[in-house]
Amino acid sequence: MIEFRAVTKRFDDGTVAVNQLDLTVEAGIITVFVGPSGCGKTTSLRMINRMVEPTSGTILVDGQDVRAADPPRLRRGIGYVIQQAGLFPHRTVLDNVATVPLLSGWSRGRARHRAAELLELVGLPAELGRRYPAQLSGGQQQRVGVARALAADPPVLLMDEPFSAVDPVVREGLQDELLRLQDELDKTIVFVTHDIDEAVRIGEKVAVFREGGVLAQYAAPAELLARPADDFVAGFVGRDRGYRSLSFVDSGEVALDQVSTVAIGQPAGAPTAEWVLVLDEQRHPRGWLPPRSTVEGAVTEAGLTPGGSLYQAGTPLRGALDAALSSPSGLGVVVDERGGYAGVVTARQVLDLIERARPTATGAERGH
Ligand SMILES: Nc1ncnc2c1ncn2[C@@H]1O[C@H](COP(=O)(O)OP(=O)(O)OP(=O)(O)O)[C@@H](O)[C@H]1O
């Protein structure tokens, strides 16, 4: 647990970067600091490992005032990952990762063995260990940065915009990877970003900062999207927040409807007034036959109307709504864990579910 108690940072030129910050970062989860540029996120993060000293106030890590700790020793117990990884260019990838264990007095052999394990943990092939950082892609460099920060197995990990220098697809992969790692490791992670989508995707708790280093709201992502504390937070979380908040609404039991289906290679039968869903041998959806389609002989993949996104039962409702909206028939196709056809759902059904899930007094009056 990391506690900020009335922490203020005023730089020598008078800039107040952080203003009376009171915040408790819970142990074992990812907490994100988010906000527009210059609102004091990085300064707050760097005060945790004493790269910046507060002007006033106290920071406690697991109940210990960080001022009582020797800074190099403190930093060895707190992993730190920065934008563009900050790797040492003249050391191999393996030696980059082994740096902190070596500094902590491990033998070279043991430190390298640990480094190799960590490369595997972050999903990098062992042979990359012999390369130099410049010989890796941006995404790979970030993974090395994460591996290096984890090397001494610190309970706390500080990550300052670690994924902002890579393209959106790689970034999403790295976010997934971090969530997977965190599932295994249960570290206390403080993650700084200016990207609200990244914040609500990876944070279990999100602290929104505003200009002048003031904490505007501190809440779980679903709460932030559903109930922004003020206009600043509402503006910052953005216009699609209602839709995006569906990412956090579990579908529970969606009542599925069924449609007519036909398997590839089978005759389509007589034309009907309904959309017909075409499945392959494993019952994976392949596309649609529009109403009144006439197919000579067996159905093939060639003439099908492409389907929309697929919704896996039990995952958040955003996917169900998207499946319905993107489907040419207006029927969102629901699949099971193996991707096999399970049923269909309409946007109307999804919206009804959302309404029912809404925890309001009105809901109670309606007898839900
Ligand atoms: N060494 C310094 N001296 C003077 N002012 C500083 C110093 N470091 C940061 N600041 C100022 O403190 C404020 C907060 O900076 P900080 O880097 O913490 O913001 P941030 O929210 O992390 O921004 P960004 O998203 O742009 O990195 C800014 O106005 C910045 O210019």
Side-chain angles (χ1 to χ4, degrees):
M1 189 162 96
I2 303 167
E3 293 162 83
F4 290 82
R5 293 192 184 158
V7 173
T8 290
K9 176 64 189 182
R10 182 190 304 272
F11 285 105
D12 291 344
D13 64 358
T15 306
V16 177
V18 178
N19 199 348
Q20 289 290 320
L21 179 63
D22 280 304
L23 178 112
T24 299
V25 170
E26 291 162 41
I29 65 168
I30 303 180
T31 298
V32 179
F33 291 178
V34 70
S37 188
C39 64
K41 309 177 293 287
T42 296
T43 305
S44 300
L45 190 78
R46 289 170 147 236
M47 286 193 288
I48 298 171
N49 66 0
R50 293 190 63 186
M51 292 172 79
V52 173
E53 299 286 358
T55 310
S56 60
T58 308
I59 297 174
L60 305 170
V61 174
D62 286 336
Q64 298 283 323
D65 188 335
V66 294
R67 269 173 309 195
D70 161 52
R73 182 179 286 241
L74 178 75
R75 279 173 218 146
R76 255 175 260 153
I78 300 180
Y80 186 49
V81 187
I82 56 172
Q83 194 179 346
Q84 294 182 318
L87 302 176
F88 305 116
H90 304 299
R91 288 191 200 161
T92 63
V93 163
L94 202 65
D95 284 343
N96 260 283
V97 179
T99 305
V100 175
L102 282 172
L103 283 174
S104 310
W106 293 28
S107 73
R108 186 161 284 272
R110 185 166 163 233
R112 286 200 167 155
H113 181 73
R114 171 80 179 140
E117 281 175 357
L118 283 158
L119 288 181
E120 193 186 331
L121 184 72
V122 298
L124 287 176
E127 52 286 7
L128 288 190
R130 288 191 293 275
R131 293 203 196 163
Y132 288 89
Q135 296 169 315
L136 302 183
S137 73
Q140 288 168 336
Q141 288 183 25
Q142 283 311 137
R143 284 167 196 247
V144 177
V146 173
R148 186 176 62 175
L150 290 173
D153 202 17
V156 176
L157 200 58
L158 309 181
M159 307 183 81
D160 193 354
E161 305 243 8
F163 307 149
S164 59
V166 293
D167 69 62
V169 176
V170 175
R171 179 191 269 224
E172 218 166 275
L174 289 167
Q175 292 165 351
D176 288 342
E177 198 76 14
L178 178 65
L179 291 171
R180 184 189 61 75
L181 267 177
Q182 173 65 354
D183 246 9
E184 278 177 42
L185 301 176
D186 292 329
K187 302 279 181 198
T188 303
I189 298 180
V190 187
F191 187 111
V192 165
T193 179
H194 57 261
D195 176 351
I196 185 68
D197 287 321
E198 181 165 73
V200 299
R201 187 149 192 261
I202 67 161
E204 230 169 284
K205 289 288 281 291
V206 177
V208 183
F209 287 72
R210 72 164 93 236
E211 302 250 328
V214 175
L215 183 63
Q217 189 169 3
Y218 184 38
E223 169 79 10
L224 208 62
L225 292 167
R227 281 174 285 280
D230 56 24
D231 287 348
F232 166 78
V233 179
F236 188 71
V237 297
R239 221 179 264 161
D240 305 332
R241 66 186 168 85
Y243 179 62
R244 284 172 20 224
S245 66
L246 291 180
S247 300
F248 304 101
V249 183
D250 282 329
S251 60
E253 292 291 301
V254 190
L256 303 183
D257 288 333
Q258 297 297 325
V259 280
S260 306
T261 63
V262 60
I264 284 178
Q266 299 295 315
T272 69
E274 310 292 328
W275 285 83
V276 176
L277 184 65
V278 179
L279 307 175
D280 67 12
E281 281 171 4
Q282 283 87 42
R283 295 186 58 76
H284 295 162
R286 306 303 310 180
W288 292 89
L289 291 174
R292 288 172 288 282
S293 299
T294 48
V295 179
E296 295 295 326
V299 176
T300 62
E301 276 208 45
L304 301 182
T305 301
S309 60
L310 300 175
Y311 171 63
Q312 189 184 316
T315 60
L317 277 176
R318 180 175 175 162
L321 190 58
D322 193 72
L325 294 177
S326 65
S327 171
S329 63
L331 300 167
V333 178
V334 184
V335 293
D336 58 25
E337 278 167 13
R338 288 195 220 97
Y341 167 73
V344 292
V345 64
T346 61
R348 167 61 47 213
Q349 284 169 303
V350 179
L351 294 175
D352 284 348
L353 269 175
I354 295 164
E355 287 305 320
R356 264 182 268 144
R358 205 182 285 282
T360 59
T362 349
E365 280 159 21
R366 283 196 211 118
H368 292 304

